[in-house]
């Protein structure tokens, strides 16, 4: 058996998330359907660096699977891309050591959240950015971000549905990049909890709008209470950008 590592991109708009769900279209189910076809009806499971929710996109999701087929990486890429639906694309393929694991070997991830600040709604951006046409002080958001850098218990910034007990994570960097009417929030850390990036974004937006103060963040972290943080930003602005190994 050989272990194949793939870096994939997908448009999450028409998916009910990454993970297989009964009677729903997901990234995992579509990918495994193609692998089953390539393996002449045999089921092949894939494992990913992590799950993404419905409507969330990925530029650099990483998955792996085991196969008994002897196929060169370039041919794997060609075979997969010729059969996958148009909203999934394989960007890179490697044959890796059988001990490699796309989830457990990941050292960190980068997520990017896109915010459309234009006054008028752009229908062509609706699936790929959160339209926020209100006054926003980005400098306040930058100031607030500094309180999130480092190792913290992020219980206040994850969904109540989070099923992991250890909610301590390390954020190495948060960057706020404004380019004309687009604001991009880049989060880089060793791992992220369920809805963590979207809740962080919602909270930073409230600070930028003046509804909260940057200095509120240490108290929100200390509270370890989801109700103390801001709203969860919509899914469509979020991209899993890169996974680091």
């Amino acid at each position: 058996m050989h272990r194949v590592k793939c870096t994939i991109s997908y448009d999450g708009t028409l998916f009910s998330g990454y993970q297989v769900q009964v009677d729903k279209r997901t990234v995992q189910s579509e990918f495994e359907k193609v692998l089953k076809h390539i393996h002449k009806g045999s089921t092949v499971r894939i494992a990913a660096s992590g799950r993404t929710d419905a409507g969330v996109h990925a530029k650099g999701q990483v998955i792996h699977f085991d196969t008994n087929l002897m196929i060169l990486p370039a041919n794997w890429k060609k075979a997969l891309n010729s059969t996958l639906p148009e909203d999934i694309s394989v960007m890179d393929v490697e044959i890796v050591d059988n001990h490699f694991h796309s989830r457990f070997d990941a050292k960190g991830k980068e997520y990017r959240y896109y915010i459309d600040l234009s006054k008028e709604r752009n229908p062509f951006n609706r699936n790929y950015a959160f339209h926020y046409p209100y006054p926003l002080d980005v400098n306040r958001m930058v100031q607030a971000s500094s309180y999130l850098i480092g190792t913290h218990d992020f219980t206040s910034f994850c969904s109540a549905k989070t099923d992991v007990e250890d909610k301590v994570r390390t954020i190495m960097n948060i960057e706020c990049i404004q380019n004309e009417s687009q604001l991009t929030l880049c989060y880089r850390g060793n791992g992220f909890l369920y809805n963590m990036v979207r809740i962080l974004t919602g909270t930073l937006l409230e600070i930028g709008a003046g509804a909260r103060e940057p200095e509120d963040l240490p108290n929100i972290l200390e509270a370890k209470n989801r109700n103390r943080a801001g709203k969860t930003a919509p899914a469509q602005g979020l991209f899993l950008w890169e996974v680091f190994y």
Side-chain angles (χ1 to χ4, degrees):
M1 298 293 286
H2 310 282
R3 182 153 293 186
V4 180
K5 171 190 174 187
C6 299
T7 302
I8 65 174
S9 294
Y10 50 84
D11 178 340
T13 304
L14 300 180
F15 290 109
S16 297
Y18 165 81
Q19 191 174 32
V20 167
Q21 300 176 53
V22 177
D23 296 328
K24 291 188 177 181
R25 185 175 187 262
T26 69
V27 177
Q28 182 180 5
S29 62
E30 291 294 327
F31 207 100
E32 290 180 352
K33 187 189 303 182
V34 170
L35 287 176
K36 188 172 185 177
H37 172 74
I38 292 173
H39 288 82
K40 308 299 183 185
S42 297
T43 298
V44 177
R45 298 298 182 198
I46 65 173
S49 69
R51 295 172 289 180
T52 53
D53 288 339
V56 175
H57 314 290
K59 178 179 180 291
Q61 172 71 284
V62 176
I63 62 104
H64 77 261
F65 60 88
D66 293 329
T67 179
N68 58 1
L69 300 180
M70 293 288 291
I71 301 176
L72 293 173
N75 292 337
W76 266 118
K77 182 177 178 180
K78 183 177 181 180
L80 290 165
N81 280 334
S82 65
T83 316
L84 283 165
E86 291 185 344
D87 45 5
I88 305 176
S89 182
V90 176
M91 311 306 292
D92 186 61
V93 177
E94 299 176 58
I95 307 300
V96 293
D97 186 275
N98 284 350
H99 296 295
F100 170 83
H101 197 285
S102 55
R103 177 184 174 190
F104 300 124
D105 287 346
K107 303 299 183 186
K109 295 179 181 178
E110 179 177 332
Y111 281 91
R112 296 189 182 185
Y113 195 96
Y114 290 92
I115 301 164
D116 180 4
L117 301 176
S118 58
K119 295 300 180 184
E120 303 301 328
R121 183 175 65 250
N122 183 342
F124 302 107
N125 283 346
R126 73 189 188 283
N127 293 326
Y128 311 105
F130 173 36
H131 184 226
Y132 193 90
Y134 312 108
L136 201 62
D137 188 335
V138 177
N139 289 329
R140 286 168 58 89
M141 298 172 68
V142 172
Q143 182 184 347
S145 297
S146 65
Y147 293 105
L148 299 168
I149 304 301
T151 302
H152 306 284
D153 186 318
F154 283 97
T155 298
S156 294
F157 293 95
C158 69
S159 168
K161 298 178 182 178
T162 303
D163 55 6
V164 296
E165 293 186 12
D166 182 10
K167 297 180 176 64
V168 175
R169 297 292 185 274
T170 299
I171 293 182
M172 280 81 82
N173 188 47
I174 299 176
E175 193 172 3
C176 302
I177 304 170
Q178 187 168 4
N179 182 10
E180 296 182 351
S181 62
Q182 179 173 280
L183 176 63
T184 306
L185 303 182
C186 304
Y187 301 87
R188 185 175 288 212
N190 70 345
F192 294 89
L193 300 163
Y194 183 43
N195 278 356
M196 180 173 159
V197 175
R198 291 167 60 189
I199 296 169
L200 288 170
T201 298
T203 306
L204 290 175
L205 283 172
E206 291 180 10
I207 291 170
R212 298 174 183 264
E213 296 301 320
E215 294 79 14
D216 291 343
L217 277 178
N219 291 332
I220 296 173
L221 284 165
E222 184 66 27
K224 301 178 185 177
N225 182 341
R226 170 66 188 93
N227 294 326
R228 294 288 297 276
K231 294 180 180 179
T232 305
Q236 73 270 18
L238 183 59
F239 289 72
L240 170 55
W241 200 256
E242 188 174 358
V243 184
F244 306 102
Y245 293 91

